[in-house]
PDB file of all heavy atoms in Angstrom:
ATOM      1  N   ASP A   1      64.857 103.274  67.018  1.00 77.00           N
ATOM      2  CA  ASP A   1      66.126 103.934  67.340  1.00 77.00           C
ATOM      3  C   ASP A   1      66.969 103.115  68.315  1.00 77.00           C
ATOM      4  O   ASP A   1      68.135 103.404  68.523  1.00 77.00           O
ATOM      5  CB  ASP A   1      65.868 105.334  67.897  1.00 77.00           C
ATOM      6  CG  ASP A   1      64.993 105.334  69.144  1.00 77.00           C
ATOM      7  OD1 ASP A   1      64.171 104.404  69.313  1.00 77.00           O
ATOM      8  OD2 ASP A   1      65.123 106.270  69.943  1.00 77.00           O
ATOM      9  N   ARG A   2      66.383 102.074  68.900  1.00 82.00           N
ATOM     10  CA  ARG A   2      67.092 101.238  69.868  1.00 82.00           C
ATOM     11  C   ARG A   2      67.491  99.876  69.301  1.00 82.00           C
ATOM     12  O   ARG A   2      67.947  99.011  70.029  1.00 82.00           O
ATOM     13  CB  ARG A   2      66.215 100.993  71.092  1.00 82.00           C
ATOM     14  CG  ARG A   2      65.836 102.238  71.825  1.00 82.00           C
ATOM     15  CD  ARG A   2      65.023 101.882  73.038  1.00 82.00           C
ATOM     16  NE  ARG A   2      64.309 103.061  73.520  1.00 82.00           N
ATOM     17  CZ  ARG A   2      63.282 103.012  74.322  1.00 82.00           C
ATOM     18  NH1 ARG A   2      62.836 101.848  74.755  1.00 82.00           N
ATOM     19  NH2 ARG A   2      62.695 104.109  74.715  1.00 82.00           N
ATOM     20  N   ASP A   3      67.261  99.650  68.014  1.00 83.00           N
ATOM     21  CA  ASP A   3      67.481  98.327  67.433  1.00 83.00           C
ATOM     22  C   ASP A   3      68.329  98.447  66.173  1.00 83.00           C
ATOM     23  O   ASP A   3      67.841  98.871  65.124  1.00 83.00           O
ATOM     24  CB  ASP A   3      66.137  97.674  67.114  1.00 83.00           C
ATOM     25  CG  ASP A   3      66.259  96.221  66.716  1.00 83.00           C
ATOM     26  OD1 ASP A   3      67.374  95.782  66.360  1.00 83.00           O
ATOM     27  OD2 ASP A   3      65.232  95.521  66.740  1.00 83.00           O
ATOM     28  N   SER A   4      69.579  98.052  66.269  1.00 87.00           N
ATOM     29  CA  SER A   4      70.491  98.173  65.125  1.00 87.00           C
ATOM     30  C   SER A   4      70.178  97.173  64.019  1.00 87.00           C
ATOM     31  O   SER A   4      70.664  97.324  62.900  1.00 87.00           O
ATOM     32  CB  SER A   4      71.938  97.987  65.591  1.00 87.00           C
ATOM     33  OG  SER A   4      72.115  96.679  66.115  1.00 87.00           O
ATOM     34  N   ARG A   5      69.363  96.157  64.291  1.00 91.00           N
ATOM     35  CA  ARG A   5      69.000  95.166  63.270  1.00 91.00           C
ATOM     36  C   ARG A   5      67.757  95.565  62.498  1.00 91.00           C
ATOM     37  O   ARG A   5      67.300  94.832  61.632  1.00 91.00           O
ATOM     38  CB  ARG A   5      68.810  93.801  63.908  1.00 91.00           C
ATOM     39  CG  ARG A   5      70.103  93.177  64.416  1.00 91.00           C
ATOM     40  CD  ARG A   5      69.877  91.822  65.056  1.00 91.00           C
ATOM     41  NE  ARG A   5      68.648  91.719  65.830  1.00 91.00           N
ATOM     42  CZ  ARG A   5      68.482  92.134  67.086  1.00 91.00           C
ATOM     43  NH1 ARG A   5      69.481  92.713  67.719  1.00 91.00           N
ATOM     44  NH2 ARG A   5      67.346  91.984  67.708  1.00 91.00           N
ATOM     45  N   LEU A   6      67.178  96.721  62.805  1.00 93.00           N
ATOM     46  CA  LEU A   6      65.948  97.183  62.165  1.00 93.00           C
ATOM     47  C   LEU A   6      66.192  98.500  61.452  1.00 93.00           C
ATOM     48  O   LEU A   6      66.745  99.430  62.023  1.00 93.00           O
ATOM     49  CB  LEU A   6      64.853  97.368  63.222  1.00 93.00           C
ATOM     50  CG  LEU A   6      63.544  97.978  62.747  1.00 93.00           C
ATOM     51  CD1 LEU A   6      62.841  97.048  61.763  1.00 93.00           C
ATOM     52  CD2 LEU A   6      62.646  98.275  63.933  1.00 93.00           C
ATOM     53  N   GLN A   7      65.756  98.558  60.208  1.00 94.00           N
ATOM     54  CA  GLN A   7      65.883  99.774  59.428  1.00 94.00           C
ATOM     55  C   GLN A   7      64.522 100.075  58.797  1.00 94.00           C
ATOM     56  O   GLN A   7      63.899  99.201  58.196  1.00 94.00           O
ATOM     57  CB  GLN A   7      66.931  99.572  58.331  1.00 94.00           C
ATOM     58  CG  GLN A   7      67.215 100.792  57.519  1.00 94.00           C
ATOM     59  CD  GLN A   7      68.296 100.533  56.467  1.00 94.00           C
ATOM     60  OE1 GLN A   7      68.641  99.408  56.153  1.00 94.00           O
ATOM     61  NE2 GLN A   7      68.820 101.608  55.912  1.00 94.00           N
ATOM     62  N   LEU A   8      64.055 101.313  58.949  1.00 96.00           N
ATOM     63  CA  LEU A   8      62.816 101.759  58.335  1.00 96.00           C
ATOM     64  C   LEU A   8      63.144 102.792  57.268  1.00 96.00           C
ATOM     65  O   LEU A   8      63.886 103.739  57.525  1.00 96.00           O
ATOM     66  CB  LEU A   8      61.875 102.366  59.385  1.00 96.00           C
ATOM     67  CG  LEU A   8      61.385 101.413  60.471  1.00 96.00           C
ATOM     68  CD1 LEU A   8      60.558 102.167  61.498  1.00 96.00           C
ATOM     69  CD2 LEU A   8      60.587 100.265  59.873  1.00 96.00           C
ATOM     70  N   LEU A   9      62.575 102.593  56.077  1.00 96.00           N
ATOM     71  CA  LEU A   9      62.869 103.457  54.940  1.00 96.00           C
ATOM     72  C   LEU A   9      61.599 104.033  54.345  1.00 96.00           C
ATOM     73  O   LEU A   9      60.612 103.315  54.170  1.00 96.00           O
ATOM     74  CB  LEU A   9      63.592 102.657  53.846  1.00 96.00           C
ATOM     75  CG  LEU A   9      64.868 101.934  54.248  1.00 96.00           C
ATOM     76  CD1 LEU A   9      65.347 101.041  53.111  1.00 96.00           C
ATOM     77  CD2 LEU A   9      65.935 102.938  54.644  1.00 96.00           C
ATOM     78  N   HIS A  10      61.646 105.309  54.022  1.00 97.00           N
ATOM     79  CA  HIS A  10      60.546 105.953  53.311  1.00 97.00           C
ATOM     80  C   HIS A  10      60.856 105.840  51.826  1.00 97.00           C
ATOM     81  O   HIS A  10      61.906 106.283  51.368  1.00 97.00           O
ATOM     82  CB  HIS A  10      60.431 107.421  53.733  1.00 97.00           C
ATOM     83  CG  HIS A  10      59.294 108.115  53.099  1.00 97.00           C
ATOM     84  ND1 HIS A  10      59.459 109.274  52.370  1.00 97.00           N
ATOM     85  CD2 HIS A  10      57.971 107.829  53.063  1.00 97.00           C
ATOM     86  CE1 HIS A  10      58.281 109.667  51.928  1.00 97.00           C
ATOM     87  NE2 HIS A  10      57.375 108.802  52.331  1.00 97.00           N
ATOM     88  N   GLY A  11      59.949 105.202  51.073  1.00 96.00           N
ATOM     89  CA  GLY A  11      60.190 105.036  49.645  1.00 96.00           C
ATOM     90  C   GLY A  11      59.046 104.310  48.972  1.00 96.00           C
ATOM     91  O   GLY A  11      58.117 103.833  49.616  1.00 96.00           O
ATOM     92  N   SER A  12      59.155 104.215  47.668  1.00 94.00           N
ATOM     93  CA  SER A  12      58.126 103.586  46.839  1.00 94.00           C
ATOM     94  C   SER A  12      58.682 102.341  46.162  1.00 94.00           C
ATOM     95  O   SER A  12      59.843 102.332  45.731  1.00 94.00           O
ATOM     96  CB  SER A  12      57.648 104.577  45.770  1.00 94.00           C
ATOM     97  OG  SER A  12      56.810 103.934  44.844  1.00 94.00           O
ATOM     98  N   LEU A  13      57.859 101.343  46.031  1.00 91.00           N
ATOM     99  CA  LEU A  13      58.260 100.088  45.402  1.00 91.00           C
ATOM    100  C   LEU A  13      58.273 100.164  43.883  1.00 91.00           C
ATOM    101  O   LEU A  13      58.652  99.201  43.230  1.00 91.00           O
ATOM    102  CB  LEU A  13      57.312  98.970  45.832  1.00 91.00           C
ATOM    103  CG  LEU A  13      57.261  98.726  47.319  1.00 91.00           C
ATOM    104  CD1 LEU A  13      56.214  97.686  47.653  1.00 91.00           C
ATOM    105  CD2 LEU A  13      58.615  98.293  47.814  1.00 91.00           C
ATOM    106  N   VAL A  14      57.851 101.263  43.329  1.00 92.00           N
ATOM    107  CA  VAL A  14      57.841 101.371  41.870  1.00 92.00           C
ATOM    108  C   VAL A  14      59.053 102.144  41.361  1.00 92.00           C
ATOM    109  O   VAL A  14      59.136 102.477  40.185  1.00 92.00           O
ATOM    110  CB  VAL A  14      56.521 101.967  41.332  1.00 92.00           C
ATOM    111  CG1 VAL A  14      55.359 101.044  41.650  1.00 92.00           C
ATOM    112  CG2 VAL A  14      56.280 103.352  41.873  1.00 92.00           C
ATOM    113  N   TYR A  15      60.004 102.409  42.260  1.00 92.00           N
ATOM    114  CA  TYR A  15      61.273 103.031  41.897  1.00 92.00           C
ATOM    115  C   TYR A  15      62.378 102.249  42.586  1.00 92.00           C
ATOM    116  O   TYR A  15      62.254 101.903  43.755  1.00 92.00           O
ATOM    117  CB  TYR A  15      61.350 104.491  42.354  1.00 92.00           C
ATOM    118  CG  TYR A  15      60.262 105.347  41.787  1.00 92.00           C
ATOM    119  CD1 TYR A  15      59.147 105.685  42.553  1.00 92.00           C
ATOM    120  CD2 TYR A  15      60.316 105.799  40.471  1.00 92.00           C
ATOM    121  CE1 TYR A  15      58.127 106.464  42.030  1.00 92.00           C
ATOM    122  CE2 TYR A  15      59.295 106.574  39.933  1.00 92.00           C
ATOM    123  CZ  TYR A  15      58.217 106.902  40.717  1.00 92.00           C
ATOM    124  OH  TYR A  15      57.208 107.660  40.196  1.00 92.00           O
ATOM    125  N   PHE A  16      63.462 102.007  41.890  1.00 91.00           N
ATOM    126  CA  PHE A  16      64.590 101.330  42.530  1.00 91.00           C
ATOM    127  C   PHE A  16      65.153 102.243  43.612  1.00 91.00           C
ATOM    128  O   PHE A  16      65.336 103.430  43.418  1.00 91.00           O
ATOM    129  CB  PHE A  16      65.682 100.977  41.521  1.00 91.00           C
ATOM    130  CG  PHE A  16      66.905 100.439  42.196  1.00 91.00           C
ATOM    131  CD1 PHE A  16      66.886  99.198  42.803  1.00 91.00           C
ATOM    132  CD2 PHE A  16      68.056 101.199  42.270  1.00 91.00           C
ATOM    133  CE1 PHE A  16      67.999  98.708  43.465  1.00 91.00           C
ATOM    134  CE2 PHE A  16      69.183 100.717  42.923  1.00 91.00           C
ATOM    135  CZ  PHE A  16      69.155  99.472  43.525  1.00 91.00           C
ATOM    136  N   ASP A  17      65.459 101.660  44.743  1.00 94.00           N
ATOM    137  CA  ASP A  17      66.026 102.383  45.877  1.00 94.00           C
ATOM    138  C   ASP A  17      67.305 101.674  46.295  1.00 94.00           C
ATOM    139  O   ASP A  17      67.258 100.536  46.781  1.00 94.00           O
ATOM    140  CB  ASP A  17      65.016 102.413  47.030  1.00 94.00           C
ATOM    141  CG  ASP A  17      65.414 103.344  48.141  1.00 94.00           C
ATOM    142  OD1 ASP A  17      66.613 103.394  48.480  1.00 94.00           O
ATOM    143  OD2 ASP A  17      64.522 104.017  48.687  1.00 94.00           O
ATOM    144  N   ALA A  18      68.435 102.311  46.092  1.00 94.00           N
ATOM    145  CA  ALA A  18      69.737 101.699  46.374  1.00 94.00           C
ATOM    146  C   ALA A  18      69.928 101.355  47.846  1.00 94.00           C
ATOM    147  O   ALA A  18      70.840 100.596  48.186  1.00 94.00           O
ATOM    148  CB  ALA A  18      70.857 102.616  45.898  1.00 94.00           C
ATOM    149  N   ARG A  19      69.086 101.887  48.736  1.00 94.00           N
ATOM    150  CA  ARG A  19      69.192 101.543  50.159  1.00 94.00           C
ATOM    151  C   ARG A  19      68.710 100.129  50.440  1.00 94.00           C
ATOM    152  O   ARG A  19      69.047  99.554  51.474  1.00 94.00           O
ATOM    153  CB  ARG A  19      68.398 102.532  51.012  1.00 94.00           C
ATOM    154  CG  ARG A  19      68.886 103.965  50.903  1.00 94.00           C
ATOM    155  CD  ARG A  19      67.955 104.912  51.633  1.00 94.00           C
ATOM    156  NE  ARG A  19      66.627 104.864  51.032  1.00 94.00           N
ATOM    157  CZ  ARG A  19      65.543 105.429  51.555  1.00 94.00           C
ATOM    158  NH1 ARG A  19      65.618 106.077  52.713  1.00 94.00           N
ATOM    159  NH2 ARG A  19      64.378 105.355  50.939  1.00 94.00           N
ATOM    160  N   LEU A  20      67.905  99.559  49.531  1.00 94.00           N
ATOM    161  CA  LEU A  20      67.383  98.208  49.729  1.00 94.00           C
ATOM    162  C   LEU A  20      68.443  97.183  49.345  1.00 94.00           C
ATOM    163  O   LEU A  20      69.054  97.282  48.281  1.00 94.00           O
ATOM    164  CB  LEU A  20      66.129  97.980  48.887  1.00 94.00           C
ATOM    165  CG  LEU A  20      64.890  98.760  49.318  1.00 94.00           C
ATOM    166  CD1 LEU A  20      63.775  98.595  48.298  1.00 94.00           C
ATOM    167  CD2 LEU A  20      64.424  98.318  50.694  1.00 94.00           C
ATOM    168  N   PRO A  21      68.646  96.186  50.200  1.00 92.00           N
ATOM    169  CA  PRO A  21      69.647  95.167  49.893  1.00 92.00           C
ATOM    170  C   PRO A  21      69.186  94.225  48.780  1.00 92.00           C
ATOM    171  O   PRO A  21      68.009  93.880  48.696  1.00 92.00           O
ATOM    172  CB  PRO A  21      69.807  94.415  51.221  1.00 92.00           C
ATOM    173  CG  PRO A  21      68.540  94.661  51.957  1.00 92.00           C
ATOM    174  CD  PRO A  21      68.029  95.994  51.503  1.00 92.00           C
ATOM    175  N   VAL A  22      70.113  93.831  47.935  1.00 93.00           N
ATOM    176  CA  VAL A  22      69.839  92.920  46.821  1.00 93.00           C
ATOM    177  C   VAL A  22      70.117  91.493  47.273  1.00 93.00           C
ATOM    178  O   VAL A  22      71.066  91.240  48.021  1.00 93.00           O
ATOM    179  CB  VAL A  22      70.717  93.291  45.605  1.00 93.00           C
ATOM    180  CG1 VAL A  22      70.589  92.265  44.490  1.00 93.00           C
ATOM    181  CG2 VAL A  22      70.359  94.687  45.111  1.00 93.00           C
ATOM    182  N   GLY A  23      69.278  90.543  46.814  1.00 93.00           N
ATOM    183  CA  GLY A  23      69.509  89.131  47.069  1.00 93.00           C
ATOM    184  C   GLY A  23      69.234  88.673  48.482  1.00 93.00           C
ATOM    185  O   GLY A  23      69.813  87.685  48.935  1.00 93.00           O
ATOM    186  N   VAL A  24      68.354  89.361  49.187  1.00 93.00           N
ATOM    187  CA  VAL A  24      68.051  88.968  50.574  1.00 93.00           C
ATOM    188  C   VAL A  24      67.297  87.645  50.606  1.00 93.00           C
ATOM    189  O   VAL A  24      66.853  87.127  49.582  1.00 93.00           O
ATOM    190  CB  VAL A  24      67.240  90.053  51.327  1.00 93.00           C
ATOM    191  CG1 VAL A  24      68.008  91.341  51.422  1.00 93.00           C
ATOM    192  CG2 VAL A  24      65.886  90.239  50.711  1.00 93.00           C
ATOM    193  N   ASP A  25      67.123  87.141  51.796  1.00 94.00           N
ATOM    194  CA  ASP A  25      66.458  85.855  51.976  1.00 94.00           C
ATOM    195  C   ASP A  25      64.975  85.920  51.632  1.00 94.00           C
ATOM    196  O   ASP A  25      64.466  85.094  50.871  1.00 94.00           O
ATOM    197  CB  ASP A  25      66.617  85.385  53.430  1.00 94.00           C
ATOM    198  CG  ASP A  25      68.080  85.281  53.818  1.00 94.00           C
ATOM    199  OD1 ASP A  25      68.822  84.566  53.116  1.00 94.00           O
ATOM    200  OD2 ASP A  25      68.480  85.934  54.796  1.00 94.00           O
ATOM    201  N   VAL A  26      64.267  86.913  52.203  1.00 96.00           N
ATOM    202  CA  VAL A  26      62.811  86.970  52.069  1.00 96.00           C
ATOM    203  C   VAL A  26      62.361  88.410  51.873  1.00 96.00           C
ATOM    204  O   VAL A  26      62.850  89.316  52.552  1.00 96.00           O
ATOM    205  CB  VAL A  26      62.114  86.399  53.337  1.00 96.00           C
ATOM    206  CG1 VAL A  26      60.598  86.468  53.211  1.00 96.00           C
ATOM    207  CG2 VAL A  26      62.553  84.962  53.604  1.00 96.00           C
ATOM    208  N   ALA A  27      61.405  88.594  50.971  1.00 97.00           N
ATOM    209  CA  ALA A  27      60.717  89.880  50.825  1.00 97.00           C
ATOM    210  C   ALA A  27      59.220  89.626  50.981  1.00 97.00           C
ATOM    211  O   ALA A  27      58.680  88.654  50.433  1.00 97.00           O
ATOM    212  CB  ALA A  27      60.998  90.509  49.463  1.00 97.00           C
ATOM    213  N   LEU A  28      58.571  90.485  51.732  1.00 98.00           N
ATOM    214  CA  LEU A  28      57.129  90.386  51.967  1.00 98.00           C
ATOM    215  C   LEU A  28      56.421  91.546  51.284  1.00 98.00           C
ATOM    216  O   LEU A  28      56.845  92.695  51.406  1.00 98.00           O
ATOM    217  CB  LEU A  28      56.834  90.457  53.468  1.00 98.00           C
ATOM    218  CG  LEU A  28      57.565  89.474  54.373  1.00 98.00           C
ATOM    219  CD1 LEU A  28      57.259  89.784  55.831  1.00 98.00           C
ATOM    220  CD2 LEU A  28      57.191  88.049  54.021  1.00 98.00           C
ATOM    221  N   LEU A  29      55.343  91.232  50.579  1.00 98.00           N
ATOM    222  CA  LEU A  29      54.434  92.239  50.028  1.00 98.00           C
ATOM    223  C   LEU A  29      53.040  91.819  50.492  1.00 98.00           C
ATOM    224  O   LEU A  29      52.297  91.151  49.779  1.00 98.00           O
ATOM    225  CB  LEU A  29      54.510  92.263  48.498  1.00 98.00           C
ATOM    226  CG  LEU A  29      55.810  92.811  47.944  1.00 98.00           C
ATOM    227  CD1 LEU A  29      56.347  91.922  46.849  1.00 98.00           C
ATOM    228  CD2 LEU A  29      55.584  94.210  47.436  1.00 98.00           C
ATOM    229  N   MET A  30      52.721  92.183  51.716  1.00 96.00           N
ATOM    230  CA  MET A  30      51.477  91.729  52.330  1.00 96.00           C
ATOM    231  C   MET A  30      50.422  92.821  52.240  1.00 96.00           C
ATOM    232  O   MET A  30      50.559  93.871  52.852  1.00 96.00           O
ATOM    233  CB  MET A  30      51.755  91.313  53.772  1.00 96.00           C
ATOM    234  CG  MET A  30      52.741  90.151  53.816  1.00 96.00           C
ATOM    235  SD  MET A  30      53.192  89.622  55.466  1.00 96.00           S
ATOM    236  CE  MET A  30      51.621  89.101  56.091  1.00 96.00           C
ATOM    237  N   GLU A  31      49.390  92.521  51.443  1.00 95.00           N
ATOM    238  CA  GLU A  31      48.287  93.461  51.222  1.00 95.00           C
ATOM    239  C   GLU A  31      48.837  94.779  50.676  1.00 95.00           C
ATOM    240  O   GLU A  31      48.514  95.854  51.173  1.00 95.00           O
ATOM    241  CB  GLU A  31      47.482  93.678  52.509  1.00 95.00           C
ATOM    242  CG  GLU A  31      46.949  92.395  53.121  1.00 95.00           C
ATOM    243  CD  GLU A  31      45.984  91.622  52.227  1.00 95.00           C
ATOM    244  OE1 GLU A  31      45.022  92.209  51.712  1.00 95.00           O
ATOM    245  OE2 GLU A  31      46.214  90.408  52.034  1.00 95.00           O
ATOM    246  N   VAL A  32      49.655  94.687  49.632  1.00 96.00           N
ATOM    247  CA  VAL A  32      50.305  95.853  49.043  1.00 96.00           C
ATOM    248  C   VAL A  32      49.895  96.067  47.592  1.00 96.00           C
ATOM    249  O   VAL A  32      49.542  97.174  47.201  1.00 96.00           O
ATOM    250  CB  VAL A  32      51.852  95.715  49.140  1.00 96.00           C
ATOM    251  CG1 VAL A  32      52.555  96.790  48.337  1.00 96.00           C
ATOM    252  CG2 VAL A  32      52.293  95.753  50.592  1.00 96.00           C
TER     253      VAL A  32
END
């Protein structure tokens, strides 16, 4: 709540979520 550069989202990776930005630099799927 104190960091405007951080966003936490509740969601599943097996459904498209329009809140996720397209074409970002890096995506991590670590032990997922």
Side-chain angles (χ1 to χ4, degrees):
D1 58 333
R2 299 182 198 162
D3 189 343
S4 63
R5 291 180 322 278
L6 174 65
Q7 184 178 15
L8 296 175
L9 304 172
H10 183 235
S12 171
L13 301 175
V14 296
Y15 301 101
F16 173 69
D17 190 320
R19 299 173 298 170
L20 291 172
V22 173
V24 299
D25 302 304
V26 179
L28 306 174
L29 290 133
M30 298 178 62
E31 304 299 309
V32 171

